[in-house]
Amino acid sequence: MEIALGFSSQNLFLSRNSSESYHKKINPISSFSFSNFALRKRFSLKRQPISRQHCSIKCQASTNGGIDQQNDDFILEDVPHLSNFIPDLPSYPNPLKKTPGYAIVKKTFVNPEDVVAQKIVVQKDSPRGIHFRRTGPREKVCFKSEEVRACIVTCGGLCPGINTVIREIVCGLSSMYGVDQILGIQGGYRGFYSKNTIQLTPKSVNDIHKRGGTILQTSRGGHDTNKIVDNIQDRGINQVYIIGGDGTQKGAAAIYKEVERRGLKVAVAGIPKTIDNDIAVIDKSFGFDTAVEEAQRAINAAHVEVESVENGVGIVKLMGRYSGFIAMHATLASRDVDCCLIPESPFYLEGHGGLFEFVEERLKENRHMVIVLAEGAGQEYLAESMHAVDEKDASGNKLLLDVGLWLTQKIKDHFTNVRKMDITMKYIDPTYMIRAIPSSASDNIYCTLLAQSAVHGAMAGFTGFTVGPVNSRQAYIPISRVTETQNTVKLTDRMWARLLASTNQPSFLNCEIVQKKINKQTSDDINDIKITSM
Ligand SMILES: Nc1ncnc2c1ncn2[C@@H]1O[C@H](COP(=O)(O)OP(=O)(O)OP(=O)(O)O)[C@@H](O)[C@H]1O
Ligand SMILES: O=P(O)(O)OC[C@H]1O[C@](O)(CO)[C@@H](O)[C@@H]1O
Ligand SMILES: [Mg+2]
């Protein structure tokens, strides 16, 4: 089957030619015309002559559904739609146009064929690459307002902005779609089957965005797919909004699969939340900027303390289990940090090029120094030196040892006992403080976009999706796509190089483990189409 595509070089969106005949040929529900294709459908493209900024492209759905080896593939990684497994699903006109907010909006509904390109830095002849569906209101919805019974659940650790997302889902459902049956599931996944629900209304959530944490409470562990879906069925819930990190999104994928297996008309929408910014595909997770901003206060305090004494060494420990994004960004933002240690970049203490040597150099030069440490850094050394046994939290995440205390002690011992130097150590651990605060103004706006995109998607009948910004545009991403890998700092990317150039810290490159890690990252990068460089 042939599809005509047109795009502007200045536009991130690609639109398929919306000819009626095409729609009829592809899908009886015209506004969901992509949804007949299975996830990760690939189209081989034949390029036509490019005229100025626009070019029109013919593409052909791959008949075998497999990976097309042609260079100029257009790949749509689509999200499921309820019509995929519910026969004769009715659709209704979207009531949005009748709401005061949208009454005079020029283009209320997104073009159903708009997609967001995952890769926007391209060369003239490079392949078209992967695309995701653009979020936004569709002309047709699959739920009548009075029929919707939505629920919201929050799982995993805290993050600034969770309450804003809750608020905006409730207010979005109510003001845009006239939905008034919205339940809050309390205490994370286990709350589905072990706690009572609370009714959420625009009034009850009115000022929750000013508070940190989650008004619904959260938990780790307790994901029992069958019990959860039984409960969804028993309560007559037909839209499930799930706010949480990588673990939560895996849980959401399991719920979606079970819902599909049972053939239920239930839309499952994931909203990615993580302070660690470790969720793949999306640009950045909400609350991250707020946390980085708050981390500045701890770094400033450490700097003030150590520059006020002779040979002051300050250590600030920040969150980041497997990904050092908070530490990296907080360091880059501060300029008062001499060294940033993250889980992705192993370091060593003794000998030439090691951390002790660097600390001594900085003390000689400046009489003080500040180290920012991600909690997941150096765990291999700690485990070795403390003979620790592996402990896990209720979700199966490894419990970390306190690298901040360990490093403080190591530096103190080295300078006092080996180098016979007087130093003053200051250890600041603001880990929970940076995630327990309300979100900043810009994060609040980001949370609003996420929440409203999720609401539009669920109302339109999309399911099994996570919503998030891809190259600054909100997209519906298949849940499995965001859980297959974890986002980590790439030592081979320019952002880490910028950090090294800013701190002038050692790269610890003459260490064998570091070399091995970098070699591995380089080979992983070849398979990783996500552009992490900025
Ligand atoms: N593979 C999985 N399948 C189903 N459920 C899962 C899976 N992994 C985790 N979960 C569930 O998801 C919830 C949250 O997981 P977890 O504690 O790992 O936090 P998270 O969502 O990754 O957030 P964060 O890491 O940002 O704190 C828990 O209730 C856990 O039981
Ligand atoms: O103590 P809690 O609540 O389990 O959270 C700690 C973990 O949560 C995170 O913020 C997110 O996974 C990690 O950085 C941190 O290790
Ligand atoms: Mg996690």
PDB file of all heavy atoms in Angstrom, residues 7-9 46-57 123-126 128:
ATOM      1  N   PHE A   7       6.770  16.822   4.101  1.00  0.00           N
ATOM      2  CA  PHE A   7       7.261  17.469   5.304  1.00  0.00           C
ATOM      3  C   PHE A   7       8.042  18.722   4.976  1.00  0.00           C
ATOM      4  O   PHE A   7       8.555  18.894   3.896  1.00  0.00           O
ATOM      5  CB  PHE A   7       8.093  16.503   6.154  1.00  0.00           C
ATOM      6  CG  PHE A   7       9.461  16.195   5.620  1.00  0.00           C
ATOM      7  CD1 PHE A   7      10.555  16.925   6.033  1.00  0.00           C
ATOM      8  CD2 PHE A   7       9.631  15.171   4.717  1.00  0.00           C
ATOM      9  CE1 PHE A   7      11.813  16.619   5.555  1.00  0.00           C
ATOM     10  CE2 PHE A   7      10.883  14.860   4.234  1.00  0.00           C
ATOM     11  CZ  PHE A   7      11.976  15.584   4.646  1.00  0.00           C
ATOM     12  N   SER A   8       8.061  19.589   5.981  1.00  0.00           N
ATOM     13  CA  SER A   8       8.822  20.821   5.838  1.00  0.00           C
ATOM     14  C   SER A   8      10.124  20.650   6.587  1.00  0.00           C
ATOM     15  O   SER A   8      10.147  20.096   7.674  1.00  0.00           O
ATOM     16  CB  SER A   8       8.020  21.963   6.445  1.00  0.00           C
ATOM     17  OG  SER A   8       8.890  22.949   6.909  1.00  0.00           O
ATOM     18  N   SER A   9      11.186  21.145   6.032  1.00  0.00           N
ATOM     19  CA  SER A   9      12.473  20.986   6.710  1.00  0.00           C
ATOM     20  C   SER A   9      12.519  21.796   7.999  1.00  0.00           C
ATOM     21  O   SER A   9      13.352  21.587   8.849  1.00  0.00           O
ATOM     22  CB  SER A   9      13.613  21.408   5.796  1.00  0.00           C
ATOM     23  OG  SER A   9      13.451  22.762   5.492  1.00  0.00           O
ATOM     24  N   LYS A  46      10.787   5.869  -1.142  1.00  0.00           N
ATOM     25  CA  LYS A  46      11.462   6.226  -2.394  1.00  0.00           C
ATOM     26  C   LYS A  46      11.458   7.736  -2.442  1.00  0.00           C
ATOM     27  O   LYS A  46      10.397   8.349  -2.420  1.00  0.00           O
ATOM     28  CB  LYS A  46      10.692   5.669  -3.586  1.00  0.00           C
ATOM     29  CG  LYS A  46      11.023   4.208  -3.860  1.00  0.00           C
ATOM     30  CD  LYS A  46      10.231   3.704  -5.048  1.00  0.00           C
ATOM     31  CE  LYS A  46       8.980   2.976  -4.578  1.00  0.00           C
ATOM     32  NZ  LYS A  46       7.886   2.995  -5.498  1.00  0.00           N
ATOM     33  N   ARG A  47      12.605   8.360  -2.464  1.00  0.00           N
ATOM     34  CA  ARG A  47      12.632   9.817  -2.434  1.00  0.00           C
ATOM     35  C   ARG A  47      12.232  10.405  -3.781  1.00  0.00           C
ATOM     36  O   ARG A  47      12.555   9.881  -4.819  1.00  0.00           O
ATOM     37  CB  ARG A  47      14.012  10.324  -2.045  1.00  0.00           C
ATOM     38  CG  ARG A  47      14.265  10.175  -0.584  1.00  0.00           C
ATOM     39  CD  ARG A  47      15.533  10.882  -0.199  1.00  0.00           C
ATOM     40  NE  ARG A  47      15.888  10.504   1.162  1.00  0.00           N
ATOM     41  CZ  ARG A  47      15.403  11.099   2.238  1.00  0.00           C
ATOM     42  NH1 ARG A  47      14.574  12.088   2.139  1.00  0.00           N
ATOM     43  NH2 ARG A  47      15.765  10.701   3.439  1.00  0.00           N
ATOM     44  N   GLN A  48      11.549  11.535  -3.711  1.00  0.00           N
ATOM     45  CA  GLN A  48      11.235  12.283  -4.922  1.00  0.00           C
ATOM     46  C   GLN A  48      12.016  13.587  -4.876  1.00  0.00           C
ATOM     47  O   GLN A  48      12.527  13.956  -3.828  1.00  0.00           O
ATOM     48  CB  GLN A  48       9.732  12.555  -4.961  1.00  0.00           C
ATOM     49  CG  GLN A  48       8.955  11.276  -5.257  1.00  0.00           C
ATOM     50  CD  GLN A  48       7.508  11.557  -5.543  1.00  0.00           C
ATOM     51  OE1 GLN A  48       6.986  12.581  -5.163  1.00  0.00           O
ATOM     52  NE2 GLN A  48       6.862  10.633  -6.217  1.00  0.00           N
ATOM     53  N   PRO A  49      12.091  14.297  -5.993  1.00  0.00           N
ATOM     54  CA  PRO A  49      12.918  15.512  -6.005  1.00  0.00           C
ATOM     55  C   PRO A  49      12.499  16.487  -4.908  1.00  0.00           C
ATOM     56  O   PRO A  49      11.308  16.685  -4.658  1.00  0.00           O
ATOM     57  CB  PRO A  49      12.637  16.115  -7.377  1.00  0.00           C
ATOM     58  CG  PRO A  49      12.057  15.018  -8.181  1.00  0.00           C
ATOM     59  CD  PRO A  49      11.427  14.055  -7.245  1.00  0.00           C
ATOM     60  N   ILE A  50      13.465  17.106  -4.270  1.00  0.00           N
ATOM     61  CA  ILE A  50      13.185  18.042  -3.186  1.00  0.00           C
ATOM     62  C   ILE A  50      12.959  19.428  -3.780  1.00  0.00           C
ATOM     63  O   ILE A  50      13.776  19.922  -4.544  1.00  0.00           O
ATOM     64  CB  ILE A  50      14.359  18.091  -2.193  1.00  0.00           C
ATOM     65  CG1 ILE A  50      14.495  16.733  -1.522  1.00  0.00           C
ATOM     66  CG2 ILE A  50      14.181  19.192  -1.162  1.00  0.00           C
ATOM     67  CD1 ILE A  50      15.731  16.577  -0.688  1.00  0.00           C
ATOM     68  N   SER A  51      11.817  20.035  -3.449  1.00  0.00           N
ATOM     69  CA  SER A  51      11.611  21.395  -3.922  1.00  0.00           C
ATOM     70  C   SER A  51      11.684  22.344  -2.744  1.00  0.00           C
ATOM     71  O   SER A  51      10.899  22.261  -1.822  1.00  0.00           O
ATOM     72  CB  SER A  51      10.252  21.502  -4.616  1.00  0.00           C
ATOM     73  OG  SER A  51       9.233  21.360  -3.676  1.00  0.00           O
ATOM     74  N   ARG A  52      12.600  23.207  -2.722  1.00  0.00           N
ATOM     75  CA  ARG A  52      12.844  24.175  -1.652  1.00  0.00           C
ATOM     76  C   ARG A  52      12.781  23.497  -0.291  1.00  0.00           C
ATOM     77  O   ARG A  52      13.451  22.528  -0.048  1.00  0.00           O
ATOM     78  CB  ARG A  52      11.880  25.339  -1.790  1.00  0.00           C
ATOM     79  CG  ARG A  52      12.127  26.067  -3.113  1.00  0.00           C
ATOM     80  CD  ARG A  52      11.126  27.113  -3.381  1.00  0.00           C
ATOM     81  NE  ARG A  52      11.805  28.405  -3.527  1.00  0.00           N
ATOM     82  CZ  ARG A  52      11.239  29.539  -3.259  1.00  0.00           C
ATOM     83  NH1 ARG A  52      10.029  29.591  -2.800  1.00  0.00           N
ATOM     84  NH2 ARG A  52      11.892  30.649  -3.433  1.00  0.00           N
ATOM     85  N   GLN A  53      11.878  24.021   0.618  1.00  0.00           N
ATOM     86  CA  GLN A  53      11.873  23.437   1.958  1.00  0.00           C
ATOM     87  C   GLN A  53      11.004  22.186   2.050  1.00  0.00           C
ATOM     88  O   GLN A  53      10.987  21.508   3.043  1.00  0.00           O
ATOM     89  CB  GLN A  53      11.329  24.442   2.951  1.00  0.00           C
ATOM     90  CG  GLN A  53      12.259  25.595   3.135  1.00  0.00           C
ATOM     91  CD  GLN A  53      11.553  26.726   3.798  1.00  0.00           C
ATOM     92  OE1 GLN A  53      10.342  26.736   3.934  1.00  0.00           O
ATOM     93  NE2 GLN A  53      12.321  27.704   4.219  1.00  0.00           N
ATOM     94  N   HIS A  54      10.233  21.961   1.011  1.00  0.00           N
ATOM     95  CA  HIS A  54       9.299  20.853   1.111  1.00  0.00           C
ATOM     96  C   HIS A  54       9.716  19.708   0.215  1.00  0.00           C
ATOM     97  O   HIS A  54      10.238  19.906  -0.856  1.00  0.00           O
ATOM     98  CB  HIS A  54       7.900  21.299   0.692  1.00  0.00           C
ATOM     99  CG  HIS A  54       7.359  22.343   1.604  1.00  0.00           C
ATOM    100  ND1 HIS A  54       6.656  22.039   2.729  1.00  0.00           N
ATOM    101  CD2 HIS A  54       7.466  23.683   1.563  1.00  0.00           C
ATOM    102  CE1 HIS A  54       6.325  23.165   3.335  1.00  0.00           C
ATOM    103  NE2 HIS A  54       6.812  24.174   2.651  1.00  0.00           N
ATOM    104  N   CYS A  55       9.489  18.528   0.695  1.00  0.00           N
ATOM    105  CA  CYS A  55       9.676  17.419  -0.217  1.00  0.00           C
ATOM    106  C   CYS A  55       8.556  16.426   0.006  1.00  0.00           C
ATOM    107  O   CYS A  55       8.032  16.290   1.100  1.00  0.00           O
ATOM    108  CB  CYS A  55      11.036  16.770  -0.047  1.00  0.00           C
ATOM    109  SG  CYS A  55      11.226  15.860   1.442  1.00  0.00           S
ATOM    110  N   SER A  56       8.138  15.813  -1.062  1.00  0.00           N
ATOM    111  CA  SER A  56       7.090  14.817  -0.875  1.00  0.00           C
ATOM    112  C   SER A  56       7.691  13.443  -1.127  1.00  0.00           C
ATOM    113  O   SER A  56       8.550  13.265  -1.969  1.00  0.00           O
ATOM    114  CB  SER A  56       5.909  15.104  -1.785  1.00  0.00           C
ATOM    115  OG  SER A  56       6.162  14.562  -3.033  1.00  0.00           O
ATOM    116  N   ILE A  57       7.233  12.540  -0.330  1.00  0.00           N
ATOM    117  CA  ILE A  57       7.869  11.234  -0.300  1.00  0.00           C
ATOM    118  C   ILE A  57       6.823  10.161  -0.452  1.00  0.00           C
ATOM    119  O   ILE A  57       5.729  10.267   0.079  1.00  0.00           O
ATOM    120  CB  ILE A  57       8.598  11.053   1.042  1.00  0.00           C
ATOM    121  CG1 ILE A  57       9.831  11.952   1.048  1.00  0.00           C
ATOM    122  CG2 ILE A  57       9.010   9.622   1.294  1.00  0.00           C
ATOM    123  CD1 ILE A  57      10.384  12.113   2.412  1.00  0.00           C
ATOM    124  N   GLN A 123      21.641  14.395   8.116  1.00  0.00           N
ATOM    125  CA  GLN A 123      22.383  14.841   6.945  1.00  0.00           C
ATOM    126  C   GLN A 123      21.465  14.671   5.740  1.00  0.00           C
ATOM    127  O   GLN A 123      20.472  13.960   5.825  1.00  0.00           O
ATOM    128  CB  GLN A 123      23.663  14.009   6.759  1.00  0.00           C
ATOM    129  CG  GLN A 123      24.718  14.227   7.841  1.00  0.00           C
ATOM    130  CD  GLN A 123      24.391  13.488   9.118  1.00  0.00           C
ATOM    131  OE1 GLN A 123      24.014  12.308   9.078  1.00  0.00           O
ATOM    132  NE2 GLN A 123      24.520  14.156  10.254  1.00  0.00           N
ATOM    133  N   LYS A 124      21.862  15.286   4.639  1.00  0.00           N
ATOM    134  CA  LYS A 124      20.991  15.291   3.464  1.00  0.00           C
ATOM    135  C   LYS A 124      20.539  13.880   3.085  1.00  0.00           C
ATOM    136  O   LYS A 124      19.375  13.651   2.800  1.00  0.00           O
ATOM    137  CB  LYS A 124      21.731  15.951   2.285  1.00  0.00           C
ATOM    138  CG  LYS A 124      20.849  16.259   1.106  1.00  0.00           C
ATOM    139  CD  LYS A 124      21.449  17.317   0.212  1.00  0.00           C
ATOM    140  CE  LYS A 124      22.720  16.890  -0.472  1.00  0.00           C
ATOM    141  NZ  LYS A 124      22.593  16.043  -1.616  1.00  0.00           N
ATOM    142  N   ASP A 125      21.438  12.928   3.136  1.00  0.00           N
ATOM    143  CA  ASP A 125      21.081  11.590   2.666  1.00  0.00           C
ATOM    144  C   ASP A 125      20.851  10.586   3.796  1.00  0.00           C
ATOM    145  O   ASP A 125      20.809   9.387   3.561  1.00  0.00           O
ATOM    146  CB  ASP A 125      22.196  11.053   1.749  1.00  0.00           C
ATOM    147  CG  ASP A 125      22.317  11.931   0.514  1.00  0.00           C
ATOM    148  OD1 ASP A 125      21.256  12.348   0.004  1.00  0.00           O
ATOM    149  OD2 ASP A 125      23.446  12.213   0.088  1.00  0.00           O
ATOM    150  N   SER A 126      20.745  11.100   5.008  1.00  0.00           N
ATOM    151  CA  SER A 126      20.608  10.117   6.105  1.00  0.00           C
ATOM    152  C   SER A 126      19.193   9.532   6.134  1.00  0.00           C
ATOM    153  O   SER A 126      18.249  10.135   5.642  1.00  0.00           O
ATOM    154  CB  SER A 126      20.992  10.737   7.445  1.00  0.00           C
ATOM    155  OG  SER A 126      20.250  11.890   7.685  1.00  0.00           O
ATOM    156  N   ARG A 128      15.456   8.353   7.244  1.00  0.00           N
ATOM    157  CA  ARG A 128      14.433   9.144   7.925  1.00  0.00           C
ATOM    158  C   ARG A 128      14.340   8.774   9.397  1.00  0.00           C
ATOM    159  O   ARG A 128      14.014   9.604  10.232  1.00  0.00           O
ATOM    160  CB  ARG A 128      13.085   8.910   7.249  1.00  0.00           C
ATOM    161  CG  ARG A 128      13.035   9.359   5.803  1.00  0.00           C
ATOM    162  CD  ARG A 128      12.909  10.865   5.714  1.00  0.00           C
ATOM    163  NE  ARG A 128      11.700  11.314   6.369  1.00  0.00           N
ATOM    164  CZ  ARG A 128      10.493  11.229   5.860  1.00  0.00           C
ATOM    165  NH1 ARG A 128      10.322  10.729   4.661  1.00  0.00           N
ATOM    166  NH2 ARG A 128       9.443  11.648   6.529  1.00  0.00           N
TER     167      ARG A 128
END
